[in-house]
Amino acid sequence: MDIDFRPLLVLGPIGLVVLWAAFNMGKAMLKGEAKLFGKRGNNPFQ
């Protein structure tokens, strides 16, 4: 039984990019620097 590596070649880099983005988002949120909500950061009530 031969394993087909073509799906991994396509999905591998995509998965790495998604994981890297999630990791960076997590770091930014921990530092309170997430810019998801504009310039006010994480707290919309400031």
Side-chain angles (χ1 to χ4, degrees):
M1 188 173 91
D2 206 14
I3 302 173
D4 191 4
F5 286 107
R6 282 173 294 182
L8 285 177
L9 283 174
V10 175
L11 296 175
I14 297 172
L16 282 174
V17 168
V18 169
L19 283 172
W20 182 247
F23 173 74
N24 282 330
M25 283 294 302
K27 272 202 322 189
M29 285 164 111
L30 281 174
K31 289 194 290 181
E33 293 174 1
K35 295 288 189 288
L36 277 180
F37 306 103
K39 291 177 181 168
R40 289 180 292 181
N42 285 338
N43 189 354
F45 301 110
Q46 281 178 344

